[in-house]
Amino acid sequence: MKLFPYAHATHPQWQMAAALVLAQLRAQMALQEYAHAPALALLYITDHYAGAAKDILDHLGAELPLVTDWSGTVGVGIVANNVEYWDEPAMAVMLLELPSDQYRVFSGVAPLGLGFEAHTALVHADPETSDLSELIGEMAERTDAGYVFGGLTSSRWQPVQFAVGGNGNISGHGAAGGVFTGGLSGVAFGADVALISRVTQGCMPVSAARHVTQADHNVVLELDGEPALDVMLRDLSISLEQPQEALEVVRATLVGLIPAHESTRSVLRHTGNFGEDVVVRHIIGLDPGRRGIAVADRVDAGAQLVFCQRNVAAARADLTRICAEIREELEPQEQALEAAPAGATTTVESAPQPVARQMAGAVYVSCTGRGGSHFGGPSAELQLVRRALGDVPLVGFFAGGEIAHHHLYGYTGVLTVFLENPE
């Protein structure tokens, strides 16, 4: 496996953007270090192009006849290595050269059947789909690793997804043009497709972790045995006697949740950042009569809750952390041979060499509430990824919710790196 060719472009006319993307891809495939015969493509477009999604897919498919499988979606913004395209017409494509028996594109008309053993999966989902969290959990359960990654389509117009499988559709599910709305689609990967995935949280805790001792659906009634509203007012140092000031603070505050059935080992990292078990949700209302707090998710007694706020410094530090963790996982295989003891005659040529394992490409899915403005300027988030991770082929999009493990997150970034197989 070599580097994955990738390309991105912006232009008011999608045909011109596609021409620029195709020129970049062909130039890279002519280089020795890039894959020459990829069959799987990831395609991300901004919602400016959503109405032309079918035409774009047909055109790119015709121009890249070796590519038999396509997956992707639309976002209000998309990303590529070092750049973010926000509120402008743009597209990004990455071509993956993987063994044909190690991946499978799935969709509503070509569901993931019993004939393929999925180890992990890239998932794109329509945010209007009912019982979405449960569907994501079910999808994760169908993988050997119990791990899926991806995000929810974000679009002001058509929430389209791309899904074309070279293996065809399931009999009885009808014809498909490769462009869908609703449900889930994506790519399942076999165990031989090596990847590393990390979640970065964009919020900083502003309180201690509290145990939910009473709740009614999405209304938290008690925390640590006290009325939840009273605990929140105390933790945030606000008072209902000053309603305007209190309202501003509450609007800037979210809650980090760990469901009762999840591990509680990583509510907070030693650095003060959230662990990956935590999902962040909005506070959507207060219940003064019951002294409760309404949040944008179901909460059960036994869960843990932390009040938090979006924090630029924390988001930058945590994004740098996950990039460093990914690089550290590769370092044992990338390190040069250590110096031999004095007097030894071993040479570099005769000594055992470490197995090379480099990054072939990456997918980054970030929240629409993050992006350059949250990180300090245009494309600042992706520039930080490039500085920390290196010049690796990368595409992705800004999502209405991020998917990792078996969770649906918010205000996070999910970075997944595909690794080259050792030669």
Side-chain angles (χ1 to χ4, degrees):
M1 189 190 304
K2 296 185 177 181
L3 291 174
F4 297 154
Y6 77 109
H8 50 95
T10 177
H11 196 278
Q13 299 178 3
W14 71 260
Q15 296 90 340
M16 292 299 297
L20 293 169
V21 163
L22 289 167
Q24 295 171 57
L25 293 174
R26 288 165 177 155
Q28 290 178 14
M29 285 190 285
L31 300 175
Q32 182 64 33
E33 62 268 29
Y34 283 88
H36 297 163
L40 171 63
L42 300 181
L43 168 61
Y44 297 108
I45 61 173
T46 61
D47 58 2
H48 288 259
Y49 288 156
K54 182 65 166 60
D55 293 334
I56 291 171
L57 181 61
D58 288 346
H59 178 73
L60 293 175
E63 292 292 324
L64 297 168
L66 292 179
V67 178
T68 57
D69 302 83
W70 293 80
S71 181
T73 192
V74 61
V76 293
I78 63 171
V79 306
N81 190 326
N82 209 44
V83 65
E84 303 164 16
Y85 295 101
W86 270 102
D87 196 21
E88 59 181 319
M91 67 178 68
V93 177
M94 187 162 69
L95 306 181
L96 291 70
E97 189 173 61
L98 303 173
S100 60
D101 63 345
Q102 287 299 307
Y103 72 89
R104 184 68 51 84
V105 173
F106 62 89
S107 67
V109 298
L112 192 60
L114 299 176
F116 182 80
E117 294 186 7
H119 187 68
T120 58
L122 167 62
V123 177
H124 307 116
D126 188 323
E128 298 301 318
T129 302
S130 60
D131 300 323
L132 189 53
S133 294
E134 290 78 5
L135 290 175
I136 291 170
E138 290 174 6
M139 185 68 202
E141 289 176 359
R142 299 181 66 181
T143 66
D144 294 338
Y147 190 91
V148 295
F149 60 97
L152 308 188
T153 293
S154 63
S155 176
R156 291 161 292 188
W157 297 290
Q158 296 170 277
V160 299
Q161 301 171 44
F162 301 105
V164 175
N167 56 305
N169 299 326
I170 301 299
S171 177
H173 285 258
V179 177
F180 303 87
T181 58
L184 276 60
S185 68
V187 188
F189 299 102
D192 290 345
V193 177
L195 55 84
I196 302 172
S197 190
R198 291 289 185 275
V199 177
T200 176
Q201 303 272 20
C203 297
M204 175 66 76
V206 295
S207 76
R210 308 290 186 184
H211 283 88
V212 178
T213 47
Q214 186 179 354
D216 180 12
H217 296 285
N218 69 318
V219 180
V220 180
L221 298 173
E222 287 188 1
L223 293 171
D224 292 338
E226 298 184 63
L229 181 56
D230 296 346
V231 174
M232 184 190 75
L233 294 174
R234 185 172 65 245
D235 281 351
L236 301 181
S237 300
I238 56 177
S239 171
L240 294 182
E241 295 178 359
Q242 298 175 305
Q244 189 59 41
E245 178 184 335
L247 183 60
E248 291 178 1
V249 174
V250 172
R251 283 176 173 170
T253 302
L254 305 101
V255 295
L257 299 170
I258 290 188
H261 60 274
E262 294 288 349
S263 166
T264 60
R265 67 185 182 280
S266 58
V267 178
L268 302 178
R269 298 181 182 276
H270 68 277
T271 58
N273 297 102
F274 282 141
E276 294 184 1
D277 288 337
V278 179
V279 294
V280 176
R281 295 293 185 261
H282 284 285
I283 297 173
I284 59 175
L286 305 179
D287 187 340
R290 294 189 292 175
R291 309 299 290 175
I293 305 166
V295 302
D297 204 347
R298 180 184 176 89
V299 184
D300 296 318
Q304 291 194 75
L305 181 150
V306 184
F307 295 106
C308 58
Q309 294 176 346
R310 296 174 62 196
N311 183 287
V312 175
R316 291 177 63 90
D318 204 48
L319 180 55
T320 301
R321 174 190 63 81
I322 68 165
C323 293
E325 285 184 1
I326 290 172
R327 296 195 65 88
E328 285 170 4
E329 284 208 25
L330 300 176
E331 279 180 1
Q333 296 169 321
E334 292 178 346
Q335 287 173 345
L337 187 68
E338 295 181 0
T345 59
T346 303
T347 65
V348 171
E349 290 75 18
S350 63
Q353 295 296 302
V355 177
R357 205 67 181 277
Q358 305 293 331
M359 292 176 279
V363 174
Y364 187 55
V365 180
S366 187
C367 179
T368 54
R370 289 163 60 98
S373 58
H374 183 56
F375 282 79
S379 297
E381 183 175 7
L382 269 294
Q383 290 170 4
L384 185 63
V385 171
R386 184 177 184 178
R387 286 197 297 271
L389 193 64
D391 194 16
V392 58
L394 181 150
V395 297
F397 70 107
F398 288 98
E402 302 76 60
I403 298 169
H405 299 280
H406 55 281
H407 290 306
L408 178 59
Y409 289 89
Y411 298 104
T412 62
V414 180
L415 177 61
T416 304
V417 172
F418 294 86
L419 306 182
E420 292 183 352
N421 289 327
E423 297 294 339

mmCIF file of all heavy atoms in Angstrom, residues 210-215 219-235 290-293 305 307:
data_model
loop_
_atom_site.group_PDB
_atom_site.id
_atom_site.type_symbol
_atom_site.label_atom_id
_atom_site.label_comp_id
_atom_site.label_asym_id
_atom_site.label_seq_id
_atom_site.Cartn_x
_atom_site.Cartn_y
_atom_site.Cartn_z
ATOM 1 N N ARG A 210 -20.210 14.723 38.560
ATOM 2 C CA ARG A 210 -21.325 14.466 39.466
ATOM 3 C C ARG A 210 -22.049 13.194 39.059
ATOM 4 O O ARG A 210 -22.178 12.907 37.867
ATOM 5 C CB ARG A 210 -22.326 15.629 39.414
ATOM 6 C CG ARG A 210 -21.723 17.010 39.623
ATOM 7 C CD ARG A 210 -21.255 17.211 41.032
ATOM 8 N NE ARG A 210 -20.811 18.576 41.284
ATOM 9 C CZ ARG A 210 -20.277 18.991 42.415
ATOM 10 N NH1 ARG A 210 -20.119 18.133 43.424
ATOM 11 N NH2 ARG A 210 -19.895 20.238 42.568
ATOM 12 N N HIS A 211 -22.553 12.455 40.027
ATOM 13 C CA HIS A 211 -23.363 11.279 39.740
ATOM 14 C C HIS A 211 -24.831 11.687 39.631
ATOM 15 O O HIS A 211 -25.346 12.418 40.493
ATOM 16 C CB HIS A 211 -23.192 10.221 40.831
ATOM 17 C CG HIS A 211 -21.913 9.451 40.720
ATOM 18 N ND1 HIS A 211 -20.742 9.871 41.309
ATOM 19 C CD2 HIS A 211 -21.623 8.299 40.053
ATOM 20 C CE1 HIS A 211 -19.781 8.999 41.029
ATOM 21 N NE2 HIS A 211 -20.281 8.048 40.272
ATOM 22 N N VAL A 212 -25.470 11.230 38.579
ATOM 23 C CA VAL A 212 -26.898 11.477 38.406
ATOM 24 C C VAL A 212 -27.647 10.479 39.290
ATOM 25 O O VAL A 212 -27.603 9.271 39.056
ATOM 26 C CB VAL A 212 -27.319 11.306 36.931
ATOM 27 C CG1 VAL A 212 -28.832 11.520 36.785
ATOM 28 C CG2 VAL A 212 -26.553 12.275 36.044
ATOM 29 N N THR A 213 -28.316 11.008 40.298
ATOM 30 C CA THR A 213 -29.022 10.131 41.229
ATOM 31 C C THR A 213 -30.521 10.065 40.957
ATOM 32 O O THR A 213 -31.198 9.177 41.477
ATOM 33 C CB THR A 213 -28.770 10.582 42.682
ATOM 34 O OG1 THR A 213 -28.957 12.005 42.789
ATOM 35 C CG2 THR A 213 -27.348 10.241 43.098
ATOM 36 N N GLN A 214 -31.034 10.981 40.125
ATOM 37 C CA GLN A 214 -32.429 10.889 39.695
ATOM 38 C C GLN A 214 -32.586 11.630 38.378
ATOM 39 O O GLN A 214 -32.058 12.746 38.209
ATOM 40 C CB GLN A 214 -33.379 11.480 40.742
ATOM 41 C CG GLN A 214 -34.857 11.274 40.391
ATOM 42 C CD GLN A 214 -35.792 11.835 41.455
ATOM 43 O OE1 GLN A 214 -35.355 12.277 42.509
ATOM 44 N NE2 GLN A 214 -37.084 11.824 41.172
ATOM 45 N N ALA A 215 -33.317 11.014 37.441
ATOM 46 C CA ALA A 215 -33.543 11.629 36.134
ATOM 47 C C ALA A 215 -34.872 11.153 35.575
ATOM 48 O O ALA A 215 -35.359 10.063 35.914
ATOM 49 C CB ALA A 215 -32.401 11.290 35.172
ATOM 50 N N VAL A 219 -34.446 14.997 31.528
ATOM 51 C CA VAL A 219 -34.376 15.991 32.600
ATOM 52 C C VAL A 219 -33.626 15.389 33.785
ATOM 53 O O VAL A 219 -34.054 14.383 34.364
ATOM 54 C CB VAL A 219 -35.783 16.446 33.045
ATOM 55 C CG1 VAL A 219 -35.666 17.476 34.169
ATOM 56 C CG2 VAL A 219 -36.543 17.026 31.867
ATOM 57 N N VAL A 220 -32.505 16.010 34.120
ATOM 58 C CA VAL A 220 -31.718 15.581 35.278
ATOM 59 C C VAL A 220 -32.317 16.250 36.511
ATOM 60 O O VAL A 220 -32.387 17.484 36.596
ATOM 61 C CB VAL A 220 -30.241 15.981 35.119
ATOM 62 C CG1 VAL A 220 -29.428 15.518 36.330
ATOM 63 C CG2 VAL A 220 -29.665 15.390 33.837
ATOM 64 N N LEU A 221 -32.755 15.454 37.477
ATOM 65 C CA LEU A 221 -33.446 15.982 38.655
ATOM 66 C C LEU A 221 -32.535 16.089 39.868
ATOM 67 O O LEU A 221 -32.654 17.037 40.652
ATOM 68 C CB LEU A 221 -34.654 15.106 38.993
ATOM 69 C CG LEU A 221 -35.734 15.052 37.901
ATOM 70 C CD1 LEU A 221 -36.809 14.032 38.262
ATOM 71 C CD2 LEU A 221 -36.351 16.429 37.676
ATOM 72 N N GLU A 222 -31.625 15.132 40.029
ATOM 73 C CA GLU A 222 -30.721 15.173 41.177
ATOM 74 C C GLU A 222 -29.299 14.839 40.747
ATOM 75 O O GLU A 222 -29.087 13.954 39.915
ATOM 76 C CB GLU A 222 -31.159 14.169 42.250
ATOM 77 C CG GLU A 222 -32.405 14.552 43.024
ATOM 78 C CD GLU A 222 -32.668 13.602 44.187
ATOM 79 O OE1 GLU A 222 -31.852 12.662 44.390
ATOM 80 O OE2 GLU A 222 -33.671 13.789 44.885
ATOM 81 N N LEU A 223 -28.353 15.532 41.339
ATOM 82 C CA LEU A 223 -26.928 15.256 41.175
ATOM 83 C C LEU A 223 -26.322 15.067 42.555
ATOM 84 O O LEU A 223 -26.462 15.949 43.422
ATOM 85 C CB LEU A 223 -26.227 16.418 40.446
ATOM 86 C CG LEU A 223 -26.617 16.645 38.993
ATOM 87 C CD1 LEU A 223 -26.018 17.958 38.470
ATOM 88 C CD2 LEU A 223 -26.152 15.477 38.117
ATOM 89 N N ASP A 224 -25.710 13.933 42.764
ATOM 90 C CA ASP A 224 -25.135 13.604 44.078
ATOM 91 C C ASP A 224 -26.163 13.771 45.191
ATOM 92 O O ASP A 224 -25.846 14.207 46.313
ATOM 93 C CB ASP A 224 -23.907 14.474 44.367
ATOM 94 C CG ASP A 224 -22.736 14.154 43.447
ATOM 95 O OD1 ASP A 224 -22.711 13.034 42.900
ATOM 96 O OD2 ASP A 224 -21.859 15.026 43.270
ATOM 97 N N GLY A 225 -27.433 13.451 44.885
ATOM 98 C CA GLY A 225 -28.476 13.499 45.892
ATOM 99 C C GLY A 225 -29.062 14.872 46.147
ATOM 100 O O GLY A 225 -29.958 15.019 46.988
ATOM 101 N N GLU A 226 -28.607 15.905 45.442
ATOM 102 C CA GLU A 226 -29.128 17.257 45.603
ATOM 103 C C GLU A 226 -29.903 17.656 44.342
ATOM 104 O O GLU A 226 -29.665 17.110 43.253
ATOM 105 C CB GLU A 226 -27.990 18.257 45.806
ATOM 106 C CG GLU A 226 -27.154 18.045 47.042
ATOM 107 C CD GLU A 226 -26.112 19.153 47.180
ATOM 108 O OE1 GLU A 226 -26.497 20.322 47.330
ATOM 109 O OE2 GLU A 226 -24.916 18.828 47.090
ATOM 110 N N PRO A 227 -30.813 18.622 44.455
ATOM 111 C CA PRO A 227 -31.514 19.104 43.266
ATOM 112 C C PRO A 227 -30.516 19.560 42.201
ATOM 113 O O PRO A 227 -29.590 20.329 42.499
ATOM 114 C CB PRO A 227 -32.355 20.269 43.796
ATOM 115 C CG PRO A 227 -32.589 19.935 45.226
ATOM 116 C CD PRO A 227 -31.321 19.265 45.686
ATOM 117 N N ALA A 228 -30.679 19.078 40.981
ATOM 118 C CA ALA A 228 -29.686 19.317 39.930
ATOM 119 C C ALA A 228 -29.516 20.798 39.628
ATOM 120 O O ALA A 228 -28.397 21.274 39.381
ATOM 121 C CB ALA A 228 -30.087 18.561 38.659
ATOM 122 N N LEU A 229 -30.618 21.546 39.621
ATOM 123 C CA LEU A 229 -30.522 22.977 39.332
ATOM 124 C C LEU A 229 -29.693 23.698 40.389
ATOM 125 O O LEU A 229 -28.872 24.573 40.067
ATOM 126 C CB LEU A 229 -31.924 23.584 39.243
ATOM 127 C CG LEU A 229 -32.004 25.080 38.926
ATOM 128 C CD1 LEU A 229 -31.281 25.403 37.624
ATOM 129 C CD2 LEU A 229 -33.462 25.538 38.865
ATOM 130 N N ASP A 230 -29.862 23.330 41.652
ATOM 131 C CA ASP A 230 -29.083 23.959 42.722
ATOM 132 C C ASP A 230 -27.601 23.649 42.572
ATOM 133 O O ASP A 230 -26.736 24.515 42.792
ATOM 134 C CB ASP A 230 -29.579 23.479 44.088
ATOM 135 C CG ASP A 230 -31.016 23.891 44.367
ATOM 136 O OD1 ASP A 230 -31.533 24.758 43.624
ATOM 137 O OD2 ASP A 230 -31.624 23.337 45.298
ATOM 138 N N VAL A 231 -27.282 22.408 42.187
ATOM 139 C CA VAL A 231 -25.873 22.036 41.984
ATOM 140 C C VAL A 231 -25.280 22.834 40.834
ATOM 141 O O VAL A 231 -24.156 23.337 40.927
ATOM 142 C CB VAL A 231 -25.755 20.526 41.712
ATOM 143 C CG1 VAL A 231 -24.314 20.162 41.364
ATOM 144 C CG2 VAL A 231 -26.222 19.726 42.921
ATOM 145 N N MET A 232 -26.025 22.976 39.736
ATOM 146 C CA MET A 232 -25.517 23.728 38.590
ATOM 147 C C MET A 232 -25.266 25.186 38.950
ATOM 148 O O MET A 232 -24.213 25.749 38.601
ATOM 149 C CB MET A 232 -26.495 23.642 37.425
ATOM 150 C CG MET A 232 -25.989 24.330 36.161
ATOM 151 S SD MET A 232 -27.234 24.506 34.858
ATOM 152 C CE MET A 232 -28.211 25.853 35.567
ATOM 153 N N LEU A 233 -26.222 25.809 39.655
ATOM 154 C CA LEU A 233 -26.045 27.210 40.032
ATOM 155 C C LEU A 233 -24.800 27.383 40.904
ATOM 156 O O LEU A 233 -24.042 28.345 40.736
ATOM 157 C CB LEU A 233 -27.287 27.704 40.786
ATOM 158 C CG LEU A 233 -28.597 27.766 39.969
ATOM 159 C CD1 LEU A 233 -29.764 28.140 40.876
ATOM 160 C CD2 LEU A 233 -28.471 28.755 38.814
ATOM 161 N N ARG A 234 -24.574 26.450 41.808
ATOM 162 C CA ARG A 234 -23.403 26.535 42.679
ATOM 163 C C ARG A 234 -22.112 26.289 41.892
ATOM 164 O O ARG A 234 -21.123 27.021 42.052
ATOM 165 C CB ARG A 234 -23.535 25.526 43.819
ATOM 166 C CG ARG A 234 -22.407 25.625 44.844
ATOM 167 C CD ARG A 234 -22.668 24.749 46.051
ATOM 168 N NE ARG A 234 -22.690 23.330 45.731
ATOM 169 C CZ ARG A 234 -23.760 22.563 45.836
ATOM 170 N NH1 ARG A 234 -24.929 23.076 46.220
ATOM 171 N NH2 ARG A 234 -23.699 21.277 45.566
ATOM 172 N N ASP A 235 -22.127 25.280 41.021
ATOM 173 C CA ASP A 235 -20.916 24.967 40.255
ATOM 174 C C ASP A 235 -20.534 26.098 39.295
ATOM 175 O O ASP A 235 -19.346 26.325 39.037
ATOM 176 C CB ASP A 235 -21.106 23.667 39.466
ATOM 177 C CG ASP A 235 -20.939 22.430 40.334
ATOM 178 O OD1 ASP A 235 -20.506 22.575 41.502
ATOM 179 O OD2 ASP A 235 -21.227 21.320 39.842
ATOM 180 N N ARG A 290 -39.286 21.474 39.388
ATOM 181 C CA ARG A 290 -38.671 20.246 39.915
ATOM 182 C C ARG A 290 -37.190 20.436 40.217
ATOM 183 O O ARG A 290 -36.497 19.476 40.571
ATOM 184 C CB ARG A 290 -38.865 19.101 38.915
ATOM 185 C CG ARG A 290 -40.311 18.690 38.731
ATOM 186 C CD ARG A 290 -40.419 17.414 37.905
ATOM 187 N NE ARG A 290 -40.027 17.601 36.503
ATOM 188 C CZ ARG A 290 -39.948 16.625 35.610
ATOM 189 N NH1 ARG A 290 -40.209 15.377 35.986
ATOM 190 N NH2 ARG A 290 -39.614 16.879 34.350
ATOM 191 N N ARG A 291 -36.719 21.665 40.047
ATOM 192 C CA ARG A 291 -35.290 21.987 40.268
ATOM 193 C C ARG A 291 -34.414 21.092 39.396
ATOM 194 O O ARG A 291 -33.390 20.560 39.830
ATOM 195 C CB ARG A 291 -34.890 21.843 41.746
ATOM 196 C CG ARG A 291 -35.791 22.563 42.724
ATOM 197 C CD ARG A 291 -35.807 24.048 42.487
ATOM 198 N NE ARG A 291 -34.547 24.704 42.833
ATOM 199 C CZ ARG A 291 -34.308 25.999 42.608
ATOM 200 N NH1 ARG A 291 -35.241 26.752 42.013
ATOM 201 N NH2 ARG A 291 -33.153 26.544 42.936
ATOM 202 N N GLY A 292 -34.826 20.952 38.123
ATOM 203 C CA GLY A 292 -34.108 20.072 37.209
ATOM 204 C C GLY A 292 -33.463 20.814 36.053
ATOM 205 O O GLY A 292 -33.677 22.015 35.842
ATOM 206 N N ILE A 293 -32.667 20.074 35.275
ATOM 207 C CA ILE A 293 -31.956 20.589 34.102
ATOM 208 C C ILE A 293 -32.290 19.686 32.924
ATOM 209 O O ILE A 293 -32.102 18.465 32.999
ATOM 210 C CB ILE A 293 -30.427 20.579 34.316
ATOM 211 C CG1 ILE A 293 -30.037 21.337 35.582
ATOM 212 C CG2 ILE A 293 -29.704 21.155 33.102
ATOM 213 C CD1 ILE A 293 -28.602 21.061 36.006
ATOM 214 N N LEU A 305 -22.119 13.233 35.166
ATOM 215 C CA LEU A 305 -22.336 14.484 34.457
ATOM 216 C C LEU A 305 -21.296 15.503 34.897
ATOM 217 O O LEU A 305 -21.012 15.629 36.099
ATOM 218 C CB LEU A 305 -23.751 14.995 34.722
ATOM 219 C CG LEU A 305 -24.192 16.292 34.051
ATOM 220 C CD1 LEU A 305 -25.701 16.276 33.790
ATOM 221 C CD2 LEU A 305 -23.839 17.526 34.903
ATOM 222 N N PHE A 307 -20.258 19.647 34.069
ATOM 223 C CA PHE A 307 -20.520 20.890 33.366
ATOM 224 C C PHE A 307 -19.239 21.326 32.646
ATOM 225 O O PHE A 307 -18.136 21.205 33.186
ATOM 226 C CB PHE A 307 -20.986 21.977 34.329
ATOM 227 C CG PHE A 307 -22.305 21.659 34.966
ATOM 228 C CD1 PHE A 307 -22.372 21.263 36.302
ATOM 229 C CD2 PHE A 307 -23.477 21.722 34.236
ATOM 230 C CE1 PHE A 307 -23.591 20.958 36.891
ATOM 231 C CE2 PHE A 307 -24.704 21.411 34.813
ATOM 232 C CZ PHE A 307 -24.754 21.021 36.140
#
